[in-house]
Amino acid sequence: MIVGLTGGIGSGKSTVAQMFRELGVPVYNSDEAAKALMVSSNLLRKEITQLLGEKSYIGGNLNRSYISERVFNNSGLLEKLNQIVHPAVRLHFKEWVSAQKSVYVIQETALIYENESTGHYDAIIVVTAPQSTRIERVMKRDGSTKEQVESRMEHQLPDEIKIARADYVVQNYTLEATKEQLVKIHRELLLKSQRD
């Protein structure tokens, strides 16, 4: 069974993913996989360089700030970049899934609804947190300004829409309460996998 784990920026997706790992559930981090593939795959490197220019890589490493700058306010360019990276990640994920022994696995990914990829999952978990908390977390984590975080949030679907379409919702306010919700979801998913 394949479970999608998503949530807006600063919602605490990675914290929740780590809690699932501690419960023994294999978790695939799409963002980390994409970054790794963009460096390790010669084909992706070639296509990204053709799309965004030689500055996309510095000394063999991804020039993330340059790439972000190029695509952030250019949806056409971002779409083209996604068309290069997403199929490679999907293929890599499928290979990863076939190597797992668990009754269910989780794919942690930011844009399930935005990319209209809900059909790839048997269930979807959405992580939420109050907007002020999310902004604070991202400012602390990335050293971003409040305006920068809000601008990034505008590129994502509002929580209300994600929540309405989710199978499970984790309200990530305190670690203790989050853990309790997770254990409950974990039990339900184990039961669901036995039924299917």
Side-chain angles (χ1 to χ4, degrees):
M1 203 165 71
I2 295 171
V3 178
L5 174 67
T6 194
I9 183 170
S11 60
K13 265 191 320 296
S14 300
T15 303
V16 169
Q18 188 50 40
M19 288 180 179
F20 273 110
R21 283 189 191 98
E22 285 161 14
L23 291 170
V25 181
V27 178
Y28 181 93
N29 183 320
S30 299
D31 196 33
E32 281 174 15
K35 285 173 196 156
L37 288 166
M38 286 162 87
V39 173
S40 66
S41 162
N42 290 331
L43 177 65
L44 288 192
R45 288 173 74 108
K46 189 178 160 203
E47 290 182 355
I48 290 164
T49 305
Q50 280 172 349
L51 178 69
L52 302 171
E54 297 293 333
K55 286 185 186 168
S56 302
Y57 293 89
I58 299 175
N61 292 315
L62 206 56
N63 185 350
R64 285 170 59 193
S65 57
Y66 168 78
I67 291 173
S68 299
E69 230 169 78
R70 289 289 318 270
V71 302
F72 189 67
N73 285 315
N74 186 332
S75 56
L77 210 51
L78 177 61
E79 182 60 33
K80 284 178 184 163
L81 179 63
N82 286 341
Q83 283 168 1
I84 293 170
V85 179
H86 288 173
V89 172
R90 199 165 299 125
L91 186 65
H92 187 260
F93 175 67
K94 279 182 180 165
E95 289 166 359
W96 178 85
V97 168
S98 62
Q100 304 308 314
K101 305 281 182 275
S102 180
V103 292
Y104 79 91
V105 298
I106 286 179
Q107 182 174 25
E108 178 191 345
T109 182
L111 304 171
I112 289 176
Y113 297 110
E114 291 83 346
N115 292 339
E116 294 176 11
S117 55
T118 53
H120 297 296
Y121 304 99
D122 299 300
I124 295 172
I125 302 167
V126 169
V127 183
T128 69
Q131 187 158 329
S132 56
T133 308
R134 290 170 56 198
I135 291 169
E136 229 168 86
R137 283 176 186 161
V138 180
M139 284 169 67
K140 206 164 153 185
R141 183 186 75 196
D142 301 347
S144 312
T145 65
K146 185 172 191 269
E147 290 70 30
Q148 284 171 324
V149 182
E150 285 172 340
S151 170
R152 284 163 75 184
M153 284 178 163
E154 281 168 21
H155 285 77
Q156 298 184 336
L157 273 182
D159 274 0
E160 303 75 63
I161 295 173
K162 291 178 187 167
I163 289 166
R165 295 174 66 188
D167 297 287
Y168 303 97
V169 177
V170 173
Q171 294 176 334
N172 185 20
Y173 303 141
T174 68
L175 289 177
E176 233 166 82
T178 300
K179 190 105 194 204
E180 274 174 33
Q181 295 170 72
L182 237 74
V183 170
K184 190 168 175 270
I185 292 168
H186 178 58
R187 285 198 193 113
E188 284 182 28
L189 287 169
L190 289 175
L191 284 171
K192 185 173 164 32
S193 67
Q194 283 163 8
R195 285 198 303 269
D196 293 349

